[in-house]
Amino acid sequence: MQKIGVFVCHCGTNIAATVDVKAVAEALSHEAGVVISQEYQYMCSEAGQNLVKDAIKEHGLTGVVICSCSPRMHENTFRKAAAAAGLNPYLVEIANIREQCSWIHKDIATATEKAIILGKAAIAKVHLNTPLVAGESPVAKRALVIGGGIAGIQTALDIAEAGFEVDIVEKEATIGGKMAQIDKTFPTLDCAACILTPKMVEASQNEKITIHSYSEVSAVKGFIGNFTATIKKKRRFVDETKCTGCGACTEVCPMQKVPNAFNLGLNNRGAVYIPFAQAVPKVATIDANYCLKLRKGDVNEKVCGKCAAACTVGAINYHQQDEYIEQKYGAIVVATGFNPIKLDKYDEFAYNQCPDVVTSLELERLMNAAGPNGGTLLRPSDKTHPHKIVFVQCVGSRCDDSKGKPYCSKICCMYTAKHAMLIREKYPDTEVYVFYIDVRTPGKNFDEFYRRAVEQYNVHYIKGMVGKVTPKADGTIDVQASDLLSNEQLHIDADMVVLATAIEPDKTARPLATMLTTQMDTNDFFTEAHAKLRPVESATAGIFLSGACQGPKDIPETVAQASAAASKAIGLLVKDSITCNPCVAHSNELMCNGCSACEKVCPYGAITYQDKEFRTPYRTTVMRRVASVNPAVCQGCGACTVACPSGAMDLNGFSNSQIMAEVDAICK
Amino acid sequence: MQEAMISKAKQLLADGTVTRVIGWKKGEFAYDITPAIFESSEEIDRDFVYDDFTSTNVSKYLVKESKKEGKILAFLKPCDTYSLNQLTKEHRVDRDNIYVVGIPSDGKLDIEKIKAKGITGITGVERDGETLKISTVYGDETMSVADVMSNKCISCKSKKHVTYDELIGEDGEVITSDRFDMVEKLENMTSEERYNFWRGELSKCIRCNACRNVCPACTCENCVFNNPDSGVENKAAADSFEENMFHIIRAFHVAGRCTDCGECSRVCPQNIPLHLLNRKFIKDINSLYGEYQAGADTTTKAPLNDYTTEDCEASIVHERGVE
Amino acid sequence: MQVNDNKEFQPLIVAFCCNWCSYAGADLSGTNRLNYPTNVKIIRVPCSCRVNPMFILRAFQRGADGVILCGCHPGDCHYTSGNYFTRRRMTLLFSMLDFLGIERDRTRVEWVSAAEGAKFAATMNEFTEAVKKLGPNRRLEDLRCRKQ
Amino acid sequence: MNNNLKEQVLRSSGVNVLKCMRCGKCSGTCPSYDEMEYHPHQFVYMVEKGDIETLMESKSIYKCLTCFACVERCPRGVEPAKVVEAVRLATIRKQGNNHLIPDAIPEMLDEDLPQQAIVTAFRKYTK
């Protein structure tokens, strides 16, 4: 015999103002199985919860129905209260009479009537609730960090610091990411390499950290605590274990006309290369698209081979193949970072026409001591010193059209102030103009930094936007723009134009999100589990977000989030096992046909089949193929329950009979 | 044909390829052919029948039979092979334990159509091209074969065997048929007319479950309508809702799995055109998700267990056709 | 279902909402105080793909005049693919009901995200109106379940 | 501020002036900028404020070439040229007179005048 307790919450006046809570409690007290039906001011309060606990003990309740706010709000609260009083937490049901009743209806009579029906549905359901016990599943004590920029490096270092193994997978030949390409950092103007490269070295030397450079994650299976990732180590035609990074091969390579990706194509490098002097791992890589030997198709042919001849340790291996590594992980951190957008669609800025119109990241390389000009700022077209430079803000950011991105890229205001300042510092004869819409400088010491650019370095900040950039025959560039404050249109004869290009998530992010079954927004940024309260977790358990893959960020923010993601991952890895959601599917073997329909629709691969012996009439037996669900893998979506024609598959907590009972109660 | 099949069966039994044969034997009347299992040459000589009334698709019997000890020989018409393939795909039969001999089929006769012409006391038929000679206790009658051909054979979709170990005779081709004509006709009626049509048809249902029992897709260990936990358990339809419910759910459960063998309508004692429900699903699947023939192979995902991100929305139902 | 001579016909609408998007969207329309009729009663399911055609028929049997199924937008399913299966299943089911002559406006699938409180309320208003126009469900009811 | 006029301009232009983020790219790109008293970004802002009459009295409404450079380049899709056109239409409608009478055209014709200019003039100076 069921003994059900019903508790109706006033939620102050939130419910009580439009729903006659006394009438609801009264009406529900007559439902079958209900032994106690009360109302109370605030059910979620300590006193309200005690009401439930006391009733469970006093009446020996077998089910509890709370008519209150959304179960998304306080289901857990009441489940915990029930558990504390010795009732299985899954014997609690919530009737949502606030969000889905009192808040949307005005008429007390009909709202009360609806609240009673919702209460009856919950009672009908709780009659069929069964006690559920959450299972446990073990946690693999190893983390995977996808992306080896500053975010990935910081996350890996923090996790390793806590004593767990970490693998970094980086698609480029070296870790370091975008920060390695940056010259100086705001707001302190210290050199990026000086602060980044020690961290890169630390990561490479940490015995808990394994770096898979020139690698990709090609498949991820499993679930929180128990992921299995396949890492594809792309062939770089150099044996990483033998290469000493001496660079002899790069010097002898006859194919020196390969655009240098590290310098954004502003100069050339060899077909065999080490991206930059402080690369980690410092190992050469052969670009098969340009290598004279590999391009031939048949490596046995007697072509070139100079790098192999120059290598004293025999590290060059033209026969190398892609290698696949499979590894188990308890936690995965995504740190895939960002890229500047392509500017093909912005003809008005003449980026594709004129080499002296550059992006801000290109300017970083042009100014960097390890860059194409050895640190002297020269125009890419004629290698002369620019005397007038125009910076354009918000190129592709804050765009409500198909060309750009709707969001603010966040970092451009600050790095433009940095660029302007560095140029004025080093070349006081160069005039610098910055066209801005708004200067956004929230951040510690950020506005002071911007003000310094204006007040101390005399950078001309003009509120307005550049409308048109026209390269002229004399090599200068006409910049036509509006000055909104003086209400005039300007023409500036510039030597160089720098575009503060919008940033977007890396292209690898979307396929990765599919692989990880994590969510992304329309801009391909990973979606955090909660915009305010869970900013470094993805909605998929066990997957954490680090750095600009979640949204535009500067270096300090990236590092902060990287460490936060690491601490979340560590919090998971220290556990020996995690509690599973008990609302999972299960198969009734007596009815199962073994037809595989359920397996085909399961997004988690939670269903497997086995042959089992069943008794048949006349003391005979028969072997039948039947499905079984791995409760640790199942997430409880219920797709299988509908695919199953015989109804053998059912879902705990949302069983066929429970939902039917709700339908019946509502339609009564 | 019968002789060729008998000698094939006896040969396969003799050389040990199979231990049993599933075929047919005569029932009470000449047109009343039922499936039967034969374990020896003697039994085959005595009872094995294959004639123009032998329609029953035996593939469903193989769900149980193929799980038994020893290989079984099954003679399958082209349409039956689709059913077997579908069962193989769903792991319902042990294909390795079945020896399939494909037999050609030029259409089966519908006894009800013959009886409807007022002919009774039938003792046998003989087919001579397009003419059918019927011997009855009252004398002989002749008529055109086409007039009394089974409906499922009139709209035959394929003469090709999609699975077999051996063939008797030549294999045919997949043929185009006008099998969706009636579905289309209904689609072009008004909602009210369709409702009246189906009310008229479905209200005849006596819930004998013959459609379910003959259907080679309905092979559930335990039908959802027999399951007390399913919430839809019922033995006999008490009113129009339950008639609807049973047939909608049954059609939905076999959607994407139904090979359109037409057995449901053939066996319906009330002559309800049940195959139209299945064909409606097949037609929708073909037009919305691409041509799909259940049982054509054993690997393709069933349309309801599959999806593309570009699938049409359910609102397409509201947008097309007659209101 | 309340049919009263002097009162306007009030349809009974059953709405199945997935826990992650549409149920949250319904909550949001509550939080934002966006009205929709009391005719709509929501049943929470983990995912729209949990909704068995039998539940929909059952609702009609017991006197529902309209059934609406809400889930995450395609591509946003919490379980990645659930609503894609829902979409196929419901398309075929609704097409079949239409084929049997059941009024097609009694059934609907709508994708409502957790952020679309306004859409949820608007959808429910619209759907209730559409069903109201059709009048009581007579073609797919169980006479034994009809209320006096 | 004239709300009726504002409403009319907003409706006939179909532009949502609230989308403007005040970047001034429209004015930065405008080839007629120096000819105009009020510039494209001002049109958008003044329409938002409801200050339509000032614009209607200004010669600027006839200076816009309708080249659509501002429409093409506006990052927010505001379409300032359509606002200018709407204000111009409001002026013409208010006066109730066409500024160009078809019968008067033959006299004004000039051999070098491109056909396009006549069409544009008609659009600009008539209802």
Side-chain angles (χ1 to χ4, degrees):
Chain A
M1 179 58 197
Q2 291 274 12
K3 288 186 210 157
I4 295 165
V6 178
F7 303 88
V8 185
C9 181
H10 296 214
C11 195
T13 55
N14 278 308
I15 294 171
T18 22
V19 168
D20 183 347
V21 286
K22 281 204 168 55
V24 173
E26 215 285 318
L28 296 180
S29 69
H30 303 302
E31 285 296 293
V34 174
V35 292
I36 174 172
S37 180
Q38 332 181 268
E39 19 85 31
Y40 186 71
Q41 274 282 316
Y42 288 105
M43 280 310 299
C44 60
S45 67
E46 186 84 35
Q49 291 184 47
N50 284 338
L51 222 58
V52 179
K53 290 183 199 167
D54 293 345
I56 291 172
K57 288 178 196 148
E58 192 183 322
H59 296 275
L61 296 183
T62 58
V64 169
V65 169
I66 317 267
C67 301
S68 61
C69 55
S70 171
R72 295 172 57 86
M73 193 74 118
H74 276 306
E75 189 171 55
N76 255 337
T77 314
F78 295 117
R79 277 182 176 169
K80 276 186 189 152
L87 184 72
N88 184 288
Y90 294 90
L91 298 175
V92 176
E93 283 296 326
I94 311 283
N96 184 344
I97 61 164
R98 192 178 75 174
E99 281 85 346
Q100 296 179 5
C101 191
S102 72
W103 275 356
I104 44 166
H105 304 314
K106 291 202 178 93
D107 178 54
I108 295 182
T110 52
T112 305
E113 194 185 333
K114 176 169 169 179
I116 292 170
I117 292 173
L118 295 178
K120 283 180 179 172
I123 293 170
K125 187 179 181 194
V126 91
H127 266 286
L128 299 164
N129 278 17
T130 46
L132 300 176
V133 181
E136 299 213 317
S137 104
V139 175
K141 305 265 175 191
R142 193 182 186 102
L144 171 64
V145 176
I146 304 169
I150 179 62
I153 294 170
Q154 184 63 46
T155 303
L157 284 173
D158 286 356
I159 296 175
E161 182 75 7
F164 297 103
E165 302 276 345
V166 196
D167 294 354
I168 299 178
V169 175
E170 167 58 52
K171 67 178 187 307
E172 302 295 342
T174 173
I175 60 168
K178 290 289 173 295
M179 189 172 168
Q181 291 173 288
I182 293 173
D183 183 34
K184 301 271 194 309
T185 56
F186 60 78
T188 45
L189 295 182
D190 40 0
C191 120
C194 311
I195 53 177
L196 173 68
T197 49
K199 278 198 183 286
M200 290 163 62
V201 172
E202 202 186 326
S204 74
Q205 287 174 350
N206 191 316
E207 55 186 26
K208 295 277 183 193
I209 299 178
T210 310
I211 298 172
H212 298 294
S213 64
Y214 214 56
S215 302
E216 290 164 0
V217 175
S218 60
V220 177
K221 282 186 303 198
F223 54 96
I224 177 168
N226 198 5
F227 296 105
T228 305
T230 310
I231 297 161
K232 175 186 176 186
K233 282 181 90 81
K234 293 180 283 188
R235 51 188 189 161
R236 69 198 314 165
F237 304 102
V238 173
D239 188 333
E240 278 181 59
T241 55
K242 289 183 188 160
C243 179
T244 59
C246 70
C249 52
T250 63
E251 282 158 26
V252 298
C253 181
M255 179 61 204
Q256 288 292 337
K257 288 220 171 102
V258 186
N260 186 346
F262 184 72
N263 280 334
L264 303 164
L266 292 165
N267 67 351
N268 291 334
R269 58 155 165 80
V272 55
Y273 66 102
I274 295 172
F276 60 102
Q278 299 97 327
V280 169
K282 194 162 183 190
V283 174
T285 304
I286 301 180
D287 189 334
N289 294 323
Y290 291 96
C291 172
L292 297 174
K293 192 176 188 74
L294 295 169
R295 225 169 35 172
K296 276 279 173 200
D298 182 8
V299 292
N300 295 321
E301 241 177 88
K302 284 205 184 314
V303 186
C304 190
K306 284 187 178 163
C307 50
C311 184
T312 51
V313 292
I316 306 279
N317 174 7
Y318 299 119
H319 297 275
Q320 201 175 49
Q321 293 300 322
D322 292 344
E323 192 190 332
Y324 290 87
I325 304 168
E326 214 178 76
Q327 183 66 256
K328 270 199 175 299
Y329 298 100
I332 297 179
V333 183
V334 182
T336 45
F338 72 95
N339 276 308
I341 64 165
K342 293 250 182 305
L343 293 174
D344 306 355
K345 292 176 191 159
Y346 288 94
D347 288 339
E348 64 262 41
F349 297 123
Y351 176 75
N352 286 339
Q353 281 171 279
C354 177
D356 297 331
V357 179
V358 298
T359 67
S360 298
L361 193 57
E362 285 165 356
L363 184 73
E364 295 279 357
R365 294 317 302 153
L366 287 173
M367 287 167 59
N368 189 272
N373 302 328
T376 315
L377 179 58
L378 300 172
R379 285 168 26 119
S381 61
D382 54 9
K383 305 280 178 207
T384 57
H385 173 60
H387 292 280
K388 215 180 255 184
I389 303 180
V390 170
F391 285 86
V392 187
Q393 297 285 75
C394 299
V395 174
S397 297
R398 309 168 68 189
C399 279
D400 195 21
D401 55 25
S402 58
K403 294 197 277 189
K405 302 290 173 185
Y407 48 84
C408 167
S409 294
K410 200 172 186 179
I411 54 176
C412 326
C413 286
M414 285 303 289
Y415 69 58
T416 298
K418 172 189 78 178
H419 290 156
M421 229 186 276
L422 288 171
I423 291 170
R424 293 283 299 157
E425 166 87 31
K426 215 166 167 186
Y427 310 103
D429 62 327
T430 301
E431 273 192 277
V432 174
Y433 296 86
V434 176
F435 284 92
Y436 69 95
I437 305 171
D438 305 285
V439 179
R440 296 180 167 176
T441 54
K444 193 168 140 186
N445 293 327
F446 280 16
D447 204 63
E448 296 91 320
F449 183 76
Y450 153 58
R451 291 313 308 167
R452 251 167 68 205
V454 178
E455 295 167 25
Q456 194 177 327
Y457 288 94
N458 204 11
V459 176
H460 306 299
Y461 268 80
I462 301 170
K463 173 152 176 71
M465 189 66 183
V466 171
K468 207 174 171 198
V469 173
T470 321
K472 293 199 295 191
D474 65 357
T476 61
I477 307 164
D478 175 50
V479 178
Q480 178 186 319
S482 63
D483 179 338
L484 292 177
L485 295 181
S486 66
N487 203 9
E488 60 183 332
Q489 196 175 60
L490 304 175
H491 283 270
I492 295 174
D493 235 2
D495 296 320
M496 263 181 91
V497 173
V498 183
L499 306 175
T501 313
I503 58 174
E504 64 179 358
D506 194 79
K507 289 275 174 275
T508 57
R510 186 155 279 275
L512 183 66
T514 311
M515 228 184 277
L516 297 171
T517 69
T518 48
Q519 290 163 0
M520 286 191 136
D521 62 20
T522 49
N523 298 313
D524 279 12
F525 286 114
F526 281 88
T527 311
E528 57 280 10
H530 189 286
K532 283 155 283 185
L533 303 178
R534 295 171 69 194
V536 301
E537 296 155 79
S538 80
T540 306
I543 302 201
F544 306 99
L545 310 174
S546 171
C549 67
Q550 180 259 344
K553 275 180 197 65
D554 60 23
I555 295 168
E557 277 184 325
T558 297
V559 172
Q561 203 199 15
S563 289
S567 79
K568 285 283 169 192
I570 293 164
L572 167 61
L573 295 175
V574 290
K575 290 182 192 157
D576 291 323
S577 64
I578 42 160
T579 314
C580 310
N581 167 23
C583 293
V584 292
H586 58 90
S587 159
N588 180 344
E589 290 174 348
L590 293 175
M591 299 208 296
C592 176
N593 301 329
C595 71
S596 283
C598 49
E599 178 205 25
K600 299 256 161 56
V601 299
C602 179
Y604 304 101
I607 300 168
T608 50
Y609 295 87
Q610 61 205 73
D611 286 324
K612 263 197 165 176
E613 200 163 16
F614 288 88
R615 275 206 257 169
T616 41
Y618 311 113
R619 292 170 186 256
T620 52
T621 58
V622 68
M623 288 293 276
R624 275 212 341 258
R625 183 175 190 267
V626 290
S628 65
V629 180
N630 180 346
V633 184
C634 176
Q635 300 290 304
C637 68
C640 53
T641 60
V642 183
C644 178
S646 69
M649 208 41 108
D650 213 342
L651 189 64
N652 286 338
F654 293 95
S655 69
N656 286 328
S657 53
Q658 282 175 311
I659 296 175
M660 293 267 201
E662 282 185 89
V663 170
D664 290 356
I666 285 173
C667 299
K668 218 180 258 171
Chain B
M1 181 53 61
Q2 181 175 320
E3 284 68 51
M5 287 160 73
I6 288 176
S7 80
K8 175 55 70 185
K10 280 156 71 172
Q11 175 214 324
L12 290 168
L13 270 177
D15 67 17
T17 311
V18 299
T19 58
R20 283 161 305 135
V21 178
I22 181 161
W24 303 264
K25 63 181 180 188
K26 275 212 166 49
E28 202 160 334
F29 303 105
Y31 44 80
D32 191 11
I33 312 293
T34 41
I37 305 282
F38 304 90
E39 292 189 347
S40 66
S41 302
E42 295 71 42
E43 286 171 12
I44 291 175
D45 278 334
R46 192 173 65 229
D47 291 329
F48 191 99
V49 177
Y50 183 79
D51 62 15
D52 290 321
F53 286 119
T54 314
S55 313
T56 317
N57 176 355
V58 295
S59 46
K60 183 171 184 175
Y61 293 81
L62 296 169
V63 172
K64 287 224 158 57
E65 292 302 326
S66 72
K67 294 206 173 82
K68 292 183 181 162
E69 197 64 35
K71 210 164 185 166
I72 185 162
L73 165 64
F75 292 103
L76 299 183
K77 303 189 291 298
C79 52
D80 304 341
T81 60
Y82 286 84
S83 305
L84 183 69
N85 245 2
Q86 184 63 25
L87 289 167
T88 308
K89 185 200 282 193
E90 295 173 4
H91 308 278
R92 297 296 288 148
V93 294
D94 183 357
R95 180 66 181 85
D96 295 339
N97 220 13
I98 306 166
Y99 192 88
V100 176
V101 172
I103 46 172
S105 167
D106 46 6
K108 299 294 168 188
L109 303 176
D110 184 346
I111 183 64
E112 297 301 326
K113 285 188 179 177
I114 299 174
K115 282 181 181 172
K117 290 186 180 290
I119 298 167
T120 51
I122 299 158
T123 54
V125 291
E126 204 177 307
R127 197 160 153 177
D128 182 15
E130 287 309 301
T131 334
L132 187 69
K133 213 171 86 194
I134 306 173
S135 15
T136 77
V137 290
Y138 310 108
D140 290 355
E141 300 265 0
T142 54
M143 60 181 65
S144 155
V145 171
D147 284 352
V148 291
M149 176 86 86
S150 183
N151 280 336
K152 65 178 245 179
C153 299
I154 293 174
S155 57
C156 179
K157 63 183 181 294
S158 175
K159 301 267 186 216
K160 180 182 155 80
H161 294 83
V162 287
T163 178
Y164 57 83
D165 295 298
E166 194 176 324
L167 279 179
I168 295 181
E170 292 280 298
D171 203 4
E173 289 300 318
V174 175
I175 49 184
T176 47
S177 74
D178 51 4
R179 60 187 174 131
F180 295 121
D181 284 5
M182 186 57 193
V183 175
E184 212 162 295
K185 199 177 143 201
L186 277 164
E187 285 172 344
N188 289 325
M189 291 180 181
T190 64
S191 167
E192 182 84 38
E193 286 166 345
R194 280 199 296 273
Y195 175 71
N196 291 332
F197 171 85
W198 282 111
R199 236 11 312 168
E201 291 295 344
L202 294 180
S203 61
K204 295 190 290 190
C205 176
I206 54 172
R207 266 310 283 283
C208 66
N209 285 331
C211 51
R212 180 177 88 184
N213 294 347
V214 77
C215 176
C218 273
T219 65
C220 284
E221 292 298 323
N222 210 334
C223 178
V224 72
F225 285 97
N226 293 353
N227 174 4
D229 295 330
S230 71
V232 293
E233 183 204 24
N234 79 334
K235 290 272 189 285
D239 78 344
S240 61
F241 175 82
E242 284 180 349
E243 288 152 7
N244 280 331
M245 174 88 168
F246 175 74
H247 291 292
I248 295 170
I249 294 296
R250 209 189 77 76
F252 188 82
H253 278 180
V254 299
R257 304 165 55 223
C258 168
T259 63
D260 197 11
C261 72
E263 289 284 273
C264 43
S265 294
R266 185 182 69 82
V267 300
C268 180
Q270 297 291 87
N271 293 318
I272 304 172
L274 292 167
H275 65 284
L276 291 178
L277 297 176
N278 300 326
R279 278 191 188 160
K280 169 65 180 165
F281 275 135
I282 295 171
K283 184 168 178 282
D284 278 348
I285 287 168
N286 284 348
S287 68
L288 300 175
Y289 310 123
E291 290 286 324
Y292 180 82
Q293 172 60 53
D297 62 58
T298 58
T299 48
T300 326
K301 263 190 176 182
L304 272 172
N305 294 341
D306 201 5
Y307 66 88
T308 73
T309 53
E310 274 78 43
D311 282 344
C312 60
E313 295 295 337
S315 56
I316 195 166
V317 176
H318 301 251
E319 287 149 15
R320 61 175 193 184
V322 179
E323 184 60 53
Chain C
M1 187 182 73
Q2 303 94 29
V3 193
N4 200 316
D5 287 341
N6 49 12
K7 256 196 192 162
E8 183 189 22
F9 160 64
Q10 288 299 333
L12 172 63
I13 312 280
V14 176
F16 291 97
C17 291
C18 88
N19 182 45
W20 305 97
C21 287
S22 307
Y23 194 87
D27 278 354
L28 184 62
S29 69
T31 312
N32 293 339
R33 311 296 198 276
L34 301 166
N35 292 45
Y36 57 86
T38 49
N39 309 53
V40 178
K41 312 285 191 298
I42 295 172
I43 294 179
R44 183 165 73 128
V45 286
C47 174
S48 60
C49 71
R50 175 67 188 91
V51 178
N52 198 309
M54 290 193 291
F55 303 161
I56 293 170
L57 295 178
R58 174 78 153 217
F60 282 122
Q61 176 187 25
R62 302 287 158 129
D65 300 294
V67 178
I68 182 165
L69 177 52
C70 300
C72 309
H73 283 268
D76 289 347
C77 176
H78 180 78
Y79 306 100
T80 50
S81 56
N83 51 7
Y84 288 127
F85 293 118
T86 308
R87 187 158 66 176
R88 282 203 171 186
R89 289 168 185 166
M90 293 306 137
T91 305
L92 291 182
L93 177 71
F94 293 175
S95 179
M96 178 53 74
L97 292 177
D98 179 47
F99 189 62
L100 291 175
I102 314 302
E103 301 94 332
R104 51 179 81 158
D105 287 338
R106 291 200 189 279
T107 47
R108 191 188 288 191
V109 170
E110 201 68 54
W111 310 125
V112 179
S113 81
E116 293 175 326
K119 182 180 179 185
F120 186 86
T123 304
M124 291 307 150
N125 279 312
E126 212 178 284
F127 186 60
T128 308
E129 269 320 298
V131 176
K132 211 178 256 182
K133 275 201 198 108
L134 289 175
N137 163 33
R138 293 274 181 245
R139 293 187 187 171
L140 195 65
E141 67 174 344
D142 191 331
L143 288 169
R144 297 164 301 174
C145 299
R146 191 192 282 184
K147 269 147 291 201
Q148 301 311 315
Chain D
M1 157 151 175
N2 187 328
N3 267 327
N4 278 344
L5 263 178
K6 179 181 174 182
E7 179 68 16
Q8 183 194 331
V9 167
L10 290 180
R11 216 169 16 173
S12 64
S13 65
V15 166
N16 178 4
V17 287
L18 295 175
K19 286 175 78 178
C20 175
M21 65 168 169
R22 322 234 189 280
C23 70
K25 195 174 181 184
C26 46
S27 292
T29 202
C30 180
S32 283
Y33 187 94
D34 293 334
E35 302 288 320
M36 295 170 92
E37 182 189 357
Y38 297 104
H39 306 115
H41 73 277
Q42 286 173 291
F43 267 85
V44 176
Y45 187 50
M46 286 163 78
V47 167
E48 188 192 324
K49 285 197 303 179
D51 190 4
I52 317 272
E53 273 119 341
T54 319
L55 292 172
M56 286 168 72
E57 282 153 25
S58 144
K59 286 266 179 280
S60 302
I61 53 177
Y62 304 113
K63 300 292 182 187
C64 168
L65 297 171
T66 332
C67 71
F68 279 59
C70 52
V71 173
E72 178 60 30
R73 289 176 190 158
C74 173
R76 309 288 308 164
V78 176
E79 308 180 308
K82 292 191 179 173
V83 176
V84 180
E85 174 106 1
V87 174
R88 186 159 60 220
L89 270 175
T91 312
I92 290 167
R93 282 181 184 163
K94 190 178 168 195
Q95 291 164 341
N97 287 322
N98 290 334
H99 287 229
L100 200 62
I101 302 154
D103 292 343
I105 292 177
E107 272 180 44
M108 299 198 278
L109 277 188
D110 172 340
E111 278 200 358
D112 300 329
L113 191 67
Q115 198 68 28
Q116 180 71 37
I118 302 173
V119 176
T120 309
F122 248 113
R123 216 194 54 240
K124 273 191 191 174
Y125 298 117
T126 58
K127 277 196 265 191

